[in-house]
Amino acid sequence: MKKVSSATVVSTATDYAHRIQAGRYELVADEPPALGGQGAGPAPFDLYLASLAACTAITLRMYAQRKGWDLGEFRAELQLSFDEEGKVHVHRVLHATQPLSDAQWQRLLEIVANTPVTKAMREGATITSARGA
């Protein structure tokens, strides 16, 4: 199995705040004050959406560049909600400051439905856990 990404999370002395090492980058995750945290960083579902948004933007930028399309400033707005059964729903709205034809937008929407993170989230992943030393 090929390792693509890695992340480590370590607790802090501040309730729910945790330091995250993702590759060579560091960030903090926390819960908002309404949920007992300090709001010192994005909450886990915020990070989930940020991952999908980043993959969306990067994938569409790569595709547009290969096609010679100018997106201008690209923006993806994502919202997460839960239905009555507790199932997660994510809605993504895409924006570009440069004009694109209906056919170009249709193709971008087809591409975005199959970005690597979109597919992993939609199709699920095998998640295993083990006790450390």
Side-chain angles (χ1 to χ4, degrees), residues 34-119:
L35 295 177
Q38 302 299 309
F45 274 118
D46 296 331
L47 293 168
Y48 180 86
L49 285 181
S51 171
L52 181 58
C55 187
T56 296
I58 291 167
T59 301
L60 291 184
R61 178 70 64 191
M62 287 176 174
Y63 182 80
Q65 285 176 344
R66 280 197 304 272
K67 290 292 192 178
W69 300 351
D70 181 8
L71 299 179
E73 181 182 274
F74 178 81
R75 187 173 81 249
E77 299 170 351
L78 286 78
Q79 296 262 328
L80 183 144
S81 59
F82 295 91
D83 66 19
E84 299 78 33
E85 290 85 42
K87 183 175 179 180
V88 174
H89 294 265
V90 175
H91 182 66
R92 185 169 39 190
V93 179
L94 311 178
H95 304 270
T97 58
Q98 291 299 311
L100 298 169
S101 70
D102 288 342
Q104 287 172 312
W105 272 114
Q106 185 59 40
R107 185 64 184 138
L108 291 177
L109 290 170
E110 290 169 5
I111 296 296
V112 81
N114 291 294
T115 70
V117 174
T118 299
K119 288 170 73 172

